[in-house]
Amino acid sequence: MTFQLATISTSEGPRAAMILNGHAIEIAKATGLRQDETILGIFENLDANLERLEKLAASDPAGVALSAVTLMSPIPIPPAIYCAGSNYADHAAEMAKANGREPPKDPHELGQRSWHFIKASRSAIGTGAAIPMPAHSKKLDWEAELGVVIGKICRNVPEEAALDFVGGYLVGNDLSARDLSRRPGMPENSSFKNDWMAHKSFDGACPLGPWITLARDVAHPHNLKMRLDVNGVVKQDSNTGYMIFNIKEQIADLSARMTLYPGDIILTGTPAGVGNGKGEYLNSGDVVTVEIEGLGKIVNRFE
Ligand code: MG
């Protein structure tokens, strides 16, 4: 039976929920188990817990209509959020053009591996939540991304086994303060020129959701249409098939350096169509919608 996993806001705090037939079922209420209160609790031993949840889903459990619940980030505070930099060729070209450089070569040809930066876990925010405009930035930009949720402890995993460690997928938006990516007054060739923290981490910088679609229900993660619009105007319209370094490569590279844990999220890069390519940025009142085929959509308003 197909269901998704979400976190909903309740009077007792964030609670893990199963999304089934348009309803949200608070899992711990149905099972009486404390470990089922959070998605991280369920992800601690995902395969065994999914077997239990299958039985719950088959029992036609009572739930609340999805329209009546408030969805949060599926993992409210992920253990870590790793983000692939410049991982779609068309996006790498538009950023190079915006910075007056030639489009880069395929990094595979140069013998390079995937690379990532970190977004602060506390910047995760759910669909429907209003996001405060960061007061310190005048160039707030969007980046539609496929998010991978790690499903089990993952250390030094070869590419061919990497997808076995994926628990699920979600929709992400890697919000970026473009005017803070480089520190003013620093020489171009300084090792300390870039400021990834200011560029990528601020309150609300990482919309995630609407829920986790289990890996077993995503047969082709590298063939999913992805789309982002601002106030209904389409800005990004692509497919996860255009990634430069695929999900397997990213998991192999990350796990070679750092153990990945259940609930860690990898944002896998964004295609062309970010605002920076045209000098367009977000303003107060704008509504951004990101949708990925089969995974749902996230909608956030900026204020
Ligand atoms: Mg990104």
Side-chain angles (χ1 to χ4, degrees):
M1 191 166 284
T2 302
F3 56 84
Q4 292 84 30
L5 295 176
T7 295
I8 59 172
S9 174
T10 78
S11 57
E12 292 161 335
R15 288 291 183 270
M18 169 187 286
I19 307 297
L20 179 67
N21 300 327
H23 287 72
I25 296 117
E26 206 180 311
I27 299 172
K29 257 193 184 166
T31 65
L33 295 176
R34 189 100 198 265
Q35 71 186 71
D36 291 339
E37 286 183 355
T38 65
I39 295 295
L40 282 180
I42 292 166
F43 266 57
E44 275 294 309
N45 193 0
L46 186 59
D47 289 346
N49 286 329
L50 283 181
E51 276 184 36
R52 288 192 302 110
L53 295 185
E54 278 292 340
K55 289 179 190 148
L56 174 62
S59 71
D60 196 22
V64 178
L66 207 41
S67 55
V69 299
T70 299
L71 292 167
M72 302 177 68
S73 165
I75 299 172
I77 307 170
I81 305 173
Y82 301 101
C83 306
S86 188
N87 198 40
Y88 280 69
D90 52 357
H91 173 58
E94 76 178 342
M95 293 299 276
K97 194 174 169 198
N99 293 315
R101 289 182 282 108
E102 290 290 307
K105 283 189 173 167
D106 181 338
H108 290 99
E109 289 175 25
L110 304 171
Q112 295 173 357
R113 303 295 306 183
S114 61
W115 62 280
H116 297 79
F117 57 86
I118 282 182
K119 246 170 135 73
S121 294
R122 292 269 178 183
S123 68
I125 193 166
T127 184
I131 297 176
M133 294 292 293
H136 50 286
S137 173
K138 299 281 178 280
K139 293 186 174 179
L140 182 62
D141 202 353
W142 55 83
E143 294 191 355
E145 309 214 3
L146 171 67
V148 171
V149 188
I150 295 298
K152 43 187 141 171
I153 288 182
C154 178
R155 185 178 297 125
N156 215 9
V157 167
E159 281 177 30
E160 54 274 21
L163 290 187
D164 297 344
F165 293 80
V166 176
Y169 298 92
L170 46 68
V171 182
N173 187 355
D174 173 19
L175 290 170
S176 304
R178 300 292 182 207
D179 43 351
L180 303 177
S181 67
R182 287 154 175 268
R183 298 170 61 213
M186 297 294 288
E188 279 302 316
N189 60 358
S190 167
S191 306
F192 309 110
K193 178 75 184 170
N194 294 322
D195 188 342
W196 286 95
M197 170 72 201
H199 185 187
K200 297 290 192 173
S201 290
F202 41 87
D203 289 339
C206 195
L208 297 173
W211 39 64
I212 297 168
T213 299
L214 295 168
R216 65 185 186 189
D217 296 321
V218 182
H220 303 290
H222 286 112
N223 185 18
L224 303 175
K225 289 182 192 137
M226 56 197 301
R227 224 168 104 108
L228 178 148
D229 74 60
V230 180
N231 304 323
V233 179
V234 176
K235 301 291 185 184
Q236 294 182 284
D237 190 357
S238 189
N239 189 295
T240 57
Y242 298 122
M243 271 180 216
I244 295 171
F245 292 107
N246 64 30
I247 297 165
K248 293 179 184 180
E249 291 173 294
Q250 292 189 45
I251 291 174
D253 291 343
L254 278 167
S255 75
R257 291 191 293 266
M258 180 83 203
T259 301
L260 304 179
Y261 289 88
D264 280 352
I265 289 170
I266 304 172
L267 293 183
T268 53
T270 200
V274 302
N276 196 51
K278 292 182 178 169
E280 293 175 5
Y281 301 101
L282 293 169
N283 292 300
S284 179
D286 285 344
V287 177
V288 175
T289 303
V290 191
E291 183 163 14
I292 298 182
E293 184 180 4
L295 306 186
K297 67 178 169 187
I298 57 174
V299 184
N300 293 94
R301 185 175 188 279
F302 292 80
E303 33 185 55

